[in-house]
Amino acid sequence: TDILKGMLSMGDVFTPLMGFNVGIEVGQLTVIAVVFPLMMLIRKYGKERVIVQEVSRVIAAIGGVLMGFRIFGMNP
Protein backbone atom coordinates (compact mmCIF):
# COMPACT_ATOMS: atom_id res chain seq x y z
CA THR A 1 0.00 0.00 0.00
CA ASP A 2 2.90 2.37 0.60
CA ILE A 3 4.01 1.94 -3.00
CA LEU A 4 0.51 2.73 -4.26
CA LYS A 5 0.29 5.81 -2.01
CA GLY A 6 3.63 7.00 -3.37
CA MET A 7 2.46 6.57 -6.95
CA LEU A 8 -0.83 8.35 -6.24
CA SER A 9 1.04 11.32 -4.78
CA MET A 10 3.17 11.53 -7.94
CA GLY A 11 0.07 11.34 -10.11
CA ASP A 12 1.23 8.48 -12.35
CA VAL A 13 -0.51 5.21 -11.53
CA PHE A 14 -1.31 3.92 -15.00
CA THR A 15 2.22 3.11 -16.20
CA PRO A 16 3.40 1.17 -13.13
CA LEU A 17 0.06 -0.62 -12.88
CA MET A 18 0.20 -1.69 -16.52
CA GLY A 19 3.81 -2.80 -16.09
CA PHE A 20 2.83 -4.90 -13.09
CA ASN A 21 -0.08 -6.50 -14.95
CA VAL A 22 2.02 -7.25 -18.03
CA GLY A 23 4.64 -8.82 -15.76
CA ILE A 24 2.02 -11.05 -14.14
CA GLU A 25 0.72 -12.18 -17.54
CA VAL A 26 4.24 -12.91 -18.83
CA GLY A 27 4.88 -14.97 -15.70
CA GLN A 28 1.71 -16.96 -16.23
CA LEU A 29 2.54 -17.62 -19.87
CA THR A 30 6.03 -18.75 -18.85
CA VAL A 31 4.61 -21.23 -16.34
CA ILE A 32 2.18 -22.58 -18.97
CA ALA A 33 4.99 -22.89 -21.52
CA VAL A 34 6.94 -25.05 -19.06
CA VAL A 35 4.12 -27.06 -17.46
CA PHE A 36 2.09 -27.90 -20.58
CA PRO A 37 4.84 -29.89 -22.36
CA LEU A 38 5.64 -31.67 -19.09
CA MET A 39 2.00 -32.64 -18.67
CA MET A 40 1.86 -33.96 -22.23
CA LEU A 41 4.96 -36.07 -21.56
CA ILE A 42 3.50 -37.37 -18.29
CA ARG A 43 0.20 -38.18 -20.04
CA LYS A 44 2.08 -40.06 -22.76
CA TYR A 45 3.54 -42.43 -20.15
CA GLY A 46 0.26 -42.84 -18.25
CA LYS A 47 1.48 -41.30 -15.00
CA GLU A 48 -0.83 -38.28 -15.09
CA ARG A 49 -3.06 -39.28 -12.19
CA VAL A 50 -0.21 -40.04 -9.79
CA ILE A 51 1.75 -36.90 -10.64
CA VAL A 52 -1.28 -34.60 -10.46
CA GLN A 53 -2.27 -36.01 -7.06
CA GLU A 54 1.22 -35.60 -5.62
CA VAL A 55 1.69 -32.09 -7.02
CA SER A 56 -1.73 -31.15 -5.63
CA ARG A 57 -0.68 -32.38 -2.20
CA VAL A 58 2.50 -30.30 -2.32
CA ILE A 59 0.60 -27.19 -3.41
CA ALA A 60 -1.98 -27.72 -0.64
CA ALA A 61 0.79 -28.14 1.95
CA ILE A 62 2.54 -24.95 0.82
CA GLY A 63 -0.80 -23.12 0.91
CA GLY A 64 -1.45 -24.39 4.42
CA VAL A 65 1.95 -23.24 5.64
CA LEU A 66 1.52 -19.80 4.05
CA MET A 67 -1.97 -19.52 5.55
CA GLY A 68 -0.50 -20.37 8.96
CA PHE A 69 2.09 -17.64 8.54
CA ARG A 70 -0.65 -15.19 7.62
CA ILE A 71 -2.93 -16.19 10.49
CA PHE A 72 -0.20 -15.93 13.11
CA GLY A 73 1.31 -12.76 11.63
CA MET A 74 4.68 -14.26 10.80
CA ASN A 75 6.82 -13.57 7.75
CA PRO A 76 8.01 -16.59 5.76
Side-chain angles (χ1 to χ4, degrees):
T1 59
D2 293 333
I3 295 172
L4 183 58
K5 288 178 185 176
M7 287 186 289
L8 286 172
S9 68
M10 293 191 298
D12 183 24
V13 176
F14 182 75
T15 303
L17 187 59
M18 286 305 296
F20 174 78
N21 286 335
V22 168
I24 293 294
E25 295 302 324
V26 168
Q28 289 176 343
L29 290 173
T30 302
V31 169
I32 290 170
V34 170
V35 171
F36 186 74
L38 287 175
M39 286 304 297
M40 290 295 106
L41 187 64
I42 290 168
R43 182 177 286 174
K44 179 180 176 181
Y45 291 106
K47 300 293 183 183
E48 181 181 17
R49 183 175 177 160
V50 174
I51 297 294
V52 168
Q53 287 176 347
E54 294 305 317
V55 169
S56 295
R57 285 185 181 105
V58 169
I59 291 171
I62 292 170
V65 169
L66 291 176
M67 183 177 66
F69 280 134
R70 189 77 165 179
I71 288 171
F72 296 110
M74 300 182 303
N75 290 325

